[in-house]
């Protein structure tokens, strides 16, 4: 059947925005295939999110509820998703930490091909082609998946969030298969989450990222600047590896991929691995004391100067403008 299944990402009783990007992909894929798309929701009780999911224009919202699905654990989720996806042509989720962790396991269970980090959907007749970045975004590959089920993760920044259609899709409850031997050895114990008042890095409209140059003053200098702008904070790998900031702030090839309306790169050289995670940002502003730093090649606005002087000045001026 030429239908598409979107795997919803639900966290803390809410549908994550990532799901809406996967729905945009699914709408296009279903149109190319001449089929429809459904959405799969997993959890112990997903009733709070059914209204939002049912309004996204899907053929059906499939629900798999079980106490073992209360918290995300790949070993518990993968068999359920694989059982649900078997009758679909394409299974899609966003390439978030959730999608990246879960989809390869689902693909392995289905003996299916997997295209990760897809940025564009193409077609040849009724056969889909997936465009995806390779070599830190320096080349693009176009792939075709030949297995019965095609498993795909999409880059959130490449697919705008789907708006509700005003529909009310029917809800269908699925039987949850008994946990296999692997799952029964895994148990949810506890989540110690870092409390963060800032917007989530991958969803923020403004991101302020700092590099190695900030040293131990990373937060001291970036926090006030980000506060004025209502921005999320990101970082280069060098800043993370040196312990100047938390590792989950890393933007880039081996970190998070962001595409905000405004991205500040402060004391970041602009290595290709960093660019791979932010170069789709709408407007890029670079602050660097080296006028030849590669970051200026992708920046829309560049400020050559010492960040220890420039950043506090900029923060003060922006705060004054805001308060005026
Ligand atoms: C397999 C692989 C994966 C990687 N993945 C990632 C990734 O996901 N993300 C990532 O970021 N990197 C990644 N890297 C590392 C990447 O190659 C770079 O080493 C890293 O991005 C450099 O970080 P940086 O720009 O902060 O530091 P540097 O390259 O040291 O640059 C510091 C910059 O600060 C400027 N500066 C210094 N002092 C000041 C000052 N006072 N005022 C203003 N400017 C100043 C300098 O001119 C310089 O341009 C990866 C590398 C590999 C090999």
């Amino acid at each position: 059947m030429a239908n598409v299944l979107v795997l919803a990402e639900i966290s803390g009783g809410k549908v994550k925005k990532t799901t809406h990007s996967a729905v945009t992909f699914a709408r296009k894929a279903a149109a190319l295939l001449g089929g429809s798309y459904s959405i799969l929701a997993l959890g112990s009780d997903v009733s709070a999110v059914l209204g939002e999911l049912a309004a996204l224009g899907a053929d059906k919202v499939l629900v798999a509820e079980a106490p073992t699905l209360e918290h995300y654990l790949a070993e518990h989720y993968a068999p359920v998703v694989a059982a649900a996806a078997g009758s679909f042509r394409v299974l899609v989720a966003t390439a978030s930490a959730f999608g990246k962790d879960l989809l390869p396991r689902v693909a392995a269970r289905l003996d299916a091909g997997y295209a990760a980090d897809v940025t564009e959907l193409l077609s040849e007749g009724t056969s889909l082609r997936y465009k995806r970045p390779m070599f830190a975004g320096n080349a693009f590959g176009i792939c075709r998946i030949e297995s019965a089920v095609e498993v795909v993760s999409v880059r959130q920044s490449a697919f705008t969030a789907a708006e509700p259609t005003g529909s009310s899709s029917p809800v269908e409850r699925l039987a949850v298969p008994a946990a296999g031997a692997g799952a029964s050895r895994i148990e949810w114990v506890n989540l110690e989450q870092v409390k963060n008042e800032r917007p989530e890095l991958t969803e923020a409209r403004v991101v302020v990222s700092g590099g190695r140059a900030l040293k131990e003053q990373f937060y001291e200098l970036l926090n006030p600047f980000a506060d004025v702008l209502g921005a999320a904070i990101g970082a280069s790998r060098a800043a993370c590896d040196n312990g100047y900031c938390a590792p989950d702030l890393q933007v880039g090839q081996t970190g998070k991929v962001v595409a905000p309306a405004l991205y500040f790169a402060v004391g970041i050289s602009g290595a290709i691995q960093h660019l791979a995670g932010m170069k789709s940002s709408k407007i890029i502003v670079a602050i660097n004391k080296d006028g030849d730093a590669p970051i200026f090649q992708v920046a829309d606005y560049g400020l050559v100067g010492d960040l220890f002087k420039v950043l506090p000045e900029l923060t003060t001026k922006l705060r004054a403008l805001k308060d005026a």
Side-chain angles (χ1 to χ4, degrees), residues 58-77:
D59 188 33
K60 287 179 200 163
V61 175
L62 305 177
V63 169
E65 286 177 327
T68 49
L69 302 176
E70 182 177 0
H71 301 288
Y72 170 67
L73 282 172
E75 288 77 3
H76 288 277
Y77 272 47

Side-chain angles (χ1 to χ4, degrees), residues 78-270:
V80 182
V81 177
S87 57
F88 287 83
R89 165 88 169 268
V90 180
L91 169 67
V92 61
T94 297
S96 58
F98 168 78
K100 283 181 179 171
D101 188 45
L102 183 56
L103 290 183
R105 299 166 197 255
V106 175
R109 284 179 173 269
L110 291 168
D111 201 14
Y114 171 47
D117 262 324
V118 168
T119 55
E120 200 179 333
L121 177 61
L122 309 163
S123 67
E124 234 177 76
T126 53
S127 173
L128 299 177
R129 301 283 184 273
Y130 305 106
K131 186 170 171 184
R132 56 181 303 273
M134 301 166 75
F135 305 111
N138 283 319
F140 282 92
I142 310 255
C143 37
R144 183 179 75 223
I145 300 178
E146 294 184 335
S147 50
V149 183
E150 303 177 27
V151 179
V152 178
S153 70
V154 294
R155 272 215 176 154
Q156 186 181 2
S157 56
F159 294 90
T160 49
E163 295 292 337
T165 60
S167 64
S168 184
S169 313
V171 173
E172 190 177 306
R173 289 183 191 276
L174 303 178
V176 175
S184 59
R185 286 198 291 269
I186 303 280
E187 187 194 350
W188 174 271
V189 179
N190 188 25
L191 172 68
E192 282 180 23
Q193 210 164 5
V194 178
K195 289 229 172 3
N196 193 348
E197 301 295 312
R198 298 194 182 284
E200 197 172 315
L201 185 51
T202 52
E203 296 181 358
R205 283 195 70 253
V206 183
V207 173
V208 169
S209 280
R212 192 201 306 266
L214 283 148
K215 300 195 180 131
E216 283 78 13
Q217 281 167 274
F218 186 94
Y219 289 113
E220 187 188 323
L221 284 167
L222 281 195
N223 273 340
F225 188 54
D227 285 344
V228 183
L229 293 164
I233 293 187
S236 72
R237 179 159 156 182
C240 298
D241 286 356
N242 279 294
Y244 303 146
C245 62
D248 62 342
L249 299 190
Q250 187 181 319
V251 170
Q253 184 190 340
T254 43
K256 290 181 175 145
V257 178
V258 301
L262 181 58
Y263 186 89
F264 283 86
V266 182
I268 293 180
S269 57

